């Protein structure tokens, strides 16, 4: 079965999850190369097999090279302990999982591997067409789409789990699409995240030399008062030749005052600290 046929079949089998981004009516049918809502609005599968739910062009600076670099580092294991911690928060029974800001899809693929045999239903979305196009190449039994965080193209109560690694949040939308008792698992960087790279780029004493995500954590706890917080901290040895990819995969080098790193700088960057908090909250019934 071709990729676009697999994606169409996935949507057909899980049609009850989707709603129209134009009128918010449930999607009613898959016919030919298109999906139709109850009011007749039509969205076509593109040649990569995904659906584009945005009303207009995406506004993102994240391009193909950034996502390719991210895939290199993540495939080498950069986020594996993080994904393992996310997996540990989930029950063994089948889950319908939404990956927010899925990018090129590697964390969702790694989560699926850790939960092999759980019979999960997996959907990832991103605002970036470049990321989603790469995600569809993974061969993962999942559906990927381009969508807006602020207007999710999914029906109310559709998901058991929302996973979000380093992405913005819209808690009103999250709670709308979560089933009662569903989980939000959000990963945020702590102050030591990629500290070695940050020091190379900015030195010390600049605005981008350090940061504090306490306001993000506090907002999460405001929406989910029962939230649990797990710190995950480890050192990652950068595989030879992937130093430039590490720089490319993060927006850190975009900041004001960032140095342009030399070949000698990159050669000296052999290890980075990964320091994050995994926040888990539950939608009240």
């Amino acid at each position: 079965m071709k990729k676009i046929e697999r994606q169409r079949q996935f949507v057909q089998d899980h049609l009850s999850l989707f709603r129209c981004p134009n009128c918010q009516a449930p999607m009613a049918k898959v016919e030919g190369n298109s999906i139709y809502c109850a009011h007749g609005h039509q969205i076509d599968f593109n040649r990569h097999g995904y659906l584009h739910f945005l009303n207009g062009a995406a506004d993102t600076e994240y391009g193909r090279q950034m996502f390719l670099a991210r895939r290199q580092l993540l495939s080498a294991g950069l986020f594996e302990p993080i994904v393992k911690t996310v997996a540990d928060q989930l029950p063994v029974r089948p889950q319908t999982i939404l990956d927010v800001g899925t990018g090129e899809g590697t964390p969702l693929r790694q989560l699926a591997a850790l939960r092999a045999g759980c019979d999960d239903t997996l959907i990832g979305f991103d605002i970036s067409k470049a990321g989603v196009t790469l995600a569809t190449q993974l061969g993962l039994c999942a559906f990927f789409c381009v969508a807006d965080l602020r207007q999710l193209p999914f029906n109310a109560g559709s998901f058991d789990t929302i996973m979000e690694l380093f992405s913005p949040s819209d808690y009103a939308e999250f709670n709308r699409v979560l089933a009662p008792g569903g989980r939000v698992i959000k990963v945020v960087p702590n102050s030591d995240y990629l500290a070695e790279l940050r020091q190379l780029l900015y030195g010390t004493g600049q605005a981008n030399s350090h940061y504090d995500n306490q306001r993000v954590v506090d907002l999460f706890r405001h929406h989910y008062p029962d939230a649990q917080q797990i710190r995950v901290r480890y050192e990652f040895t950068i595989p030879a030749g992937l130093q430039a990819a590490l720089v490319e995969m993060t927006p850190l080098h975009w900041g004001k005052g960032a140095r342009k790193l030399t070949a000698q700088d990159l050669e000296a960057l052999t290890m980075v600290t990964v320091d994050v908090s995994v926040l888990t909250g539950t939608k009240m019934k």
Side-chain angles (χ1 to χ4, degrees), residues 28 38 55 60 63 73 108 110 116 143 180 195 211 230 264 266 278-279:
N55 292 317
T60 177
L73 269 299
L108 190 60
Q110 292 173 338
F143 183 76
Y211 58 92
I230 300 173
Q264 290 75 20
L266 294 176
V278 179
L279 308 171

Side-chain angles (χ1 to χ4, degrees), residues 8-20 25-31 34-37 45 51 53 123 153-155 158:
R8 280 200 304 256
Q9 189 62 55
F10 184 103
V11 174
Q12 180 68 68
D13 293 343
H14 302 91
L15 193 59
S16 63
L17 297 178
F18 295 90
R19 78 172 193 178
C20 179
M27 287 299 184
K29 64 180 179 179
V30 176
E31 189 173 279
S34 304
I35 183 172
Y36 296 85
C37 79
F45 291 89
L51 293 168
F53 286 108
I123 294 180
F154 308 111
N155 288 315
S158 294

Side-chain angles (χ1 to χ4, degrees), residues 64-93:
R64 178 179 174 82
Q65 291 307 310
M66 183 178 189
F67 287 117
L68 285 171
R70 186 175 188 264
R71 177 167 289 176
Q72 285 184 286
L73 269 299
L74 270 56
S75 296
L78 179 62
F79 287 175
E80 280 184 357
I82 300 174
V83 178
K84 175 63 165 60
T85 303
V86 171
D88 289 345
Q89 311 313 304
L90 299 177
V92 176
R93 65 180 181 274

Side-chain angles (χ1 to χ4, degrees), residues 119-140:
D119 197 26
D120 293 328
T121 299
L122 306 173
I123 294 180
F125 80 90
D126 202 284
I127 197 172
S128 170
K129 292 192 295 183
V132 172
T133 298
L134 287 170
T136 63
Q137 299 172 3
L138 288 172
L140 178 64

